[in-house]
Amino acid sequence: MWAVEKYIGHWDGYAGVEEGPHLPHNYYLCSDPSGRFQMLPWGTDQTWEAPIPFDESDGLMFELCLEDEPCLAIFRKAVASALAQFEGGGLTQLAIQTAALLEPWQAIDPRKPYNEMTIDEAVAETELFIASRPAEAAAWLEGRPSAPGAPASEPPASIASVSTGLARRISSAARVTGGNGALRTRLRLLRSARISPEATPKIRKGEVDACSEQAQASEPGALTLHCVLSDAVRERLRARWLRITVVTRLRADDGATEVFTRRITLPRS
């Protein structure tokens, strides 16, 4: 279970990499009549999106497993097994077929929460994740560093534009509980240059600032920005959902800049 969670990027599960007082979560413990427990995964709705390190600890049992040589050996064997199964599973074709299956339903959805460009971009990111993960898993198993976001083979031409010189945007999502919450933007940095990203989500039509945050990173790899929602936004979410635009700006030491934009929907709290 933990090997698959890591491979598919289940950051919201037991072996994910998120931090917080209520994490890890999205799992159940099921006891048989003898009192022996099994762990059951749950809540895998945000997988196949954001690569996470295979040996990044989160849940206590997983952390202790990494420190125990026999348990670590079992985990490594499970990662190798997951790699072998996923490589021959036709996942890229499945992603393309699923997108095609949903397309006519998205066209008649009266709510239109996502436009065609956003949907195509998300599908492309999934395809790139699928193409990149085998090389990342193999690199970890061999004890060598892997190039973030580098696929084992050349990605299809339709998703080549997803990777850029500075970073690849992974996802933007919001977690709102009891009127409080934060916007989370995950990036995969591709350059070792010093980068200063800024996430500035705003309500559509420029009505109210949602939040603003800054961070710096000096090495390539995964970066997560947590941006606390403003009082005005939290007040509005008590009455209704809100659709916002997330703008993330990055600047390298050499002056190179990039801007990523994504529209997401914040649920009513």
Side-chain angles (χ1 to χ4, degrees):
M1 169 189 159
W2 295 340
V4 172
E5 281 190 334
K6 291 295 190 182
Y7 192 99
I8 67 177
H10 187 20
W11 58 265
D12 207 19
Y14 187 85
V17 297
E18 291 291 300
E19 297 179 356
H22 305 298
L23 298 170
H25 57 94
N26 279 350
Y27 69 93
Y28 287 99
L29 291 175
C30 178
S31 173
D32 64 19
S34 69
R36 180 176 180 176
F37 284 85
Q38 288 184 313
M39 182 174 284
L40 307 178
W42 178 72
T44 57
D45 56 319
Q46 298 190 60
T47 55
W48 301 108
E49 184 181 50
I52 57 178
F54 286 92
D55 53 2
E56 182 88 12
S57 62
D58 191 358
L60 179 59
M61 287 190 291
F62 180 70
E63 182 177 345
L64 294 175
C65 179
L66 295 179
E67 297 176 359
D68 181 75
E69 287 298 329
C71 189
L72 177 59
I74 295 173
F75 174 68
R76 290 177 59 85
K77 183 177 180 180
V79 171
S81 176
L83 171 60
Q85 294 184 59
F86 283 131
E87 276 193 303
L91 294 175
T92 298
Q93 189 61 29
L94 177 60
I96 295 173
Q97 292 173 349
T98 302
L101 179 67
L102 293 174
E103 186 174 356
W105 297 97
Q106 292 159 346
I108 63 175
D109 185 352
R111 299 171 301 168
K112 292 292 187 296
Y114 305 104
N115 59 33
E116 291 183 6
M117 181 180 296
T118 301
I119 293 172
D120 290 343
E121 198 173 62
V123 173
E125 288 178 351
T126 298
E127 293 179 25
L128 185 59
F129 176 95
I130 292 171
S132 304
R133 209 52 175 156
E136 294 167 356
W140 180 79
L141 288 169
E142 295 171 9
R144 56 183 174 84
S146 60
S153 57
E154 287 297 318
S158 62
I159 65 172
S161 61
V162 175
S163 289
T164 63
L166 298 183
R168 176 166 65 90
R169 193 197 54 238
I170 300 298
S171 66
S172 295
R175 181 176 298 157
V176 183
T177 306
N180 298 316
L183 185 73
R184 186 197 71 252
T185 298
R186 300 173 67 94
L187 302 171
R188 172 65 67 170
L189 304 179
L190 301 179
R191 284 177 52 178
S192 58
R194 187 175 181 83
I195 301 174
S196 301
E198 178 182 350
T200 310
K202 295 181 183 293
I203 300 300
R204 292 183 69 185
K205 299 180 181 180
E207 295 177 358
V208 178
D209 285 347
C211 69
S212 180
E213 186 62 62
Q214 293 186 359
Q216 293 183 337
S218 58
E219 297 180 354
L223 173 67
T224 301
L225 299 178
H226 293 275
C227 192
V228 178
L229 297 176
S230 66
D231 293 340
V233 168
R234 292 200 298 267
E235 180 65 28
R236 288 176 177 236
L237 289 176
R238 295 187 182 99
R240 55 159 293 173
W241 58 270
L242 291 174
R243 188 172 295 137
I244 70 173
T245 299
V246 183
V247 180
T248 306
R249 297 179 176 87
L250 297 92
R251 178 182 293 273
D253 283 343
D254 60 6
T257 60
E258 286 180 350
V259 179
F260 298 104
T261 302
R262 165 168 285 187
R263 291 186 178 93
I264 67 171
T265 299
L266 300 181
R268 178 180 175 181
S269 60

